[in-house]
Amino acid sequence: MESKTTTHLVNLLQACIDKKAHRAGKILHAFFLRNGLASQTFLSNRLIELYSKCGKIDSACRVFDKIPQKGVYSWNAILSVHCKVGNVQDAYALFVKMPERNTVSWNTLISALVRSGLEQKALDAYDAMISEGYVPTHFTLASVFSGCGALLASERGRICHGLVIKIGLDKNIYVVNALLCMYAKCGLMKDAIQVFGDMHEHNEVTFTAMVGGLVQTGRVMDSLKMFRLMCRKGIRIDSVSLSSILGACGRGVSGEFYQDDLNDVLSSNVHGQQAHALSIKLGFETDLHLNNSLLDMYAKNGDMDSAEKVFAHLPEASVVSWNVMIAGHGQKYQSDKAFDYLQRMQWSGFEPDEVTYINMLAGCIKSGDIETGRRIFDSMSQPSVSSWNAILSGYTQGGNHKEAIQLFREMQFQRVQSDRTTLAIILSSCAAMGLLEFGKQVHAASRKASFHTDIYVASGLIGMYSKCGKTEMAGCIFYNMPELDVVCWNSMIACFSLNSLEVEAFNFFKQMRQNGICPTQFSYATVLSCCAKLSSLSQGRQIHAQIAKDGYVSDVFVGSALIDMYCKCGDVDEARRFFDMMHSKNTVTWNEMIHGYAQNGRGYDAVSLYKDMITTGQKPDNITFIAVLTACSHSGLVDVGLEIFNSMQLEHDVEPVLDHYTCIIDSLGRANRFDEAEVLIDKVPYKDDPVLWEVLLSSCRVHANVSLAERAAQELYRLDPQNPTPYVLLANIYSGLGRWDDVRAIRELMSDKQVIKEPGYSWIDNKNEVQTFKVDEVQAVSGGTC
């Protein structure tokens, strides 16, 4: 009879546990106490389970404390309570105190540590479990694989993979799914695919892990194919798998679609729309996480109209929803709309978080609205380092390096710890302003924070020292790096090129290839620039062949550099042939070709190409007009040049600057139209720039216009007394006219003012080696030249 009563009470207690009936459970608990049943360990263990299910942790602990004889099940029950509510430290302390443990104890602890983000502690606990002779179960290994995935500890995961096979759990779908997820998170998709292929059965978790892993590693098309296979096999599609595939569609724009046959591949937005339709068909319209994934997909694809529609029909929104909309409009350079969403978000009762402000800052910076970005930044009570980086990046990108450096100093005063991004940004500003001493201080700060060997920071340091002319220091940074990537190599090549060490840059490029580093677009563009500076056509052609081999011929950046190289090496026809072959051209490409014609004295071709550029709808910029006006000047097309110059502001909304005026004055001077040149130079807003007067003085020499030459020389003496150019040019004019006394007077004036003419340099390209020669002595002013 007593046995039947106990069974009945147990059944009642189980019903309370199943239904989370806290009140009914308390009544039962009271009955146990009145009838002396509370001392029974079995009933007490079930009471702990009841209170745990109902979230009454204190009650569970009190029951546990009063158990007279605690068995391993009792300890496991209270351990589970602490783990369930995230009291990991208490759970760990309790675990240490346990007089007896079993596999369940270890599994409970390891699982809780992984869920709490303490993966390394979880793996250490697993090691202790194995060392004490316990055999892991499928629960243990699933948690361990999850921990390995979070830590990207692939080698540790491989060892556990071997154990899975050894103890015969390689057919357990729970374990194998966790194993597959681990490989996917570590980016080891080859291993993940192998595991996938060896599985006897798959479920939605398997496919979702595969889709997510393929997306993470940039294999967008493969992830879409995997999702289609999932649909064909009739695997249940849940909101998680749909969110994964929407992530793939959102990455399509910057993913690998361009590598496939575009006739067979629909745009990423169409794939996303199909996934959207499927989510509606499956009844997930109210799933907030999925709706946020939809918003993110449309925003990343730039389809803000569709994102607006989804957002407007959300049954409920979250901070994530608002953040996605703010980020989306920011990416579209619509900072005003992003700011409108920020205000609406606050009016709707949502509190902006760190991501909100970073998205808003990024939007303002992209839109060029740094003032609004700064106001938002200043309104933040405690901006994180990411927010500091965003506003610093805005100032740097906008060329306001002085403000960036001042803000960086303020960051130091507020004791905000810089990260690798902060240091790289501020080093960029130091480089742009040539602030060597401040750059050295940043270098010291990077060493203190142990970031000096970080590839990202090291590249910034190399760039800073390069711009400040300290190639040796840049080399020290490079050679002391524990490991190097292509960015570091590119930085050093650029360093040599920037400091007119083209031969060294070219040799360094060769060394990079010998070390097995594949050049990038930047590598090729820089070394082509070196070939152009050295007028080394043979080297340039070799680089062109390597570019074709590596598949960079269609890159606009590299293509423009190739055109520049051929033009500067005198092979303008080869440059034009390559120009005509290019599938896509930007303004830089057109400018390089027009400028190439100008350099090689083919003014008519330059003007014709300029007109073609206008006809194709490409908008000319400042550089375009410098190139075409230079061509007109060098080819005597004075009236054509004046016509183009006058059209700049009227037809193309380009304000003339110093270089444009210089081209026109040069053109008029070459044509002996000095009256017009003087009228123009008196109207120019750049009269105190020596370049204008140097150009005019050069023209005066050609046409022996002594009076205007003397005026130009006097202006140059005033503006830059140590510049030898006006002295030499005026002396040459005098010598050409046989006015030797005036020539002697110029030489004496140079001597009195200690003006020194630097020796010139020449070089020849001989059997792929460049040899440089220096003129050791300046020619004496005799026989007519200075």
Side-chain angles (χ1 to χ4, degrees), residues 254-287:
S254 57
E256 60 183 31
F257 283 117
Y258 68 91
Q259 295 174 347
D260 294 87
D261 184 355
L262 294 179
N263 295 322
D264 298 330
V265 180
L266 295 170
S267 74
S268 56
N269 207 41
V270 171
H271 285 296
Q273 288 169 343
Q274 291 173 348
H276 188 178
L278 183 58
S279 71
I280 295 170
K281 181 180 178 182
L282 296 174
F284 292 124
E285 299 101 319
T286 59
D287 188 290

Side-chain angles (χ1 to χ4, degrees), residues 350-426:
F350 289 91
E351 190 66 34
D353 61 10
E354 183 68 21
V355 176
T356 315
Y357 286 116
I358 291 173
N359 288 346
M360 193 65 229
L361 281 171
C364 291
I365 289 160
K366 266 188 169 289
S367 306
D369 189 4
I370 191 68
E371 290 182 7
T372 303
R374 182 58 188 267
R375 283 200 302 273
I376 289 168
F377 178 80
D378 289 340
S379 70
M380 298 170 69
S381 57
Q382 285 187 317
S384 70
V385 68
S386 298
S387 300
W388 284 94
N389 290 345
I391 193 69
L392 284 170
S393 176
Y395 281 122
T396 303
Q397 289 174 27
N400 197 341
H401 301 292
K402 186 177 179 182
E403 188 66 34
I405 287 169
Q406 288 175 351
L407 192 63
F408 176 73
R409 283 182 172 142
E410 178 64 25
M411 183 180 179
Q412 307 311 302
F413 290 142
Q414 294 193 21
R415 299 187 182 278
V416 179
Q417 186 65 47
S418 303
D419 64 7
R420 60 199 290 266
T421 305
T422 321
L423 295 169
I425 291 168
I426 209 63

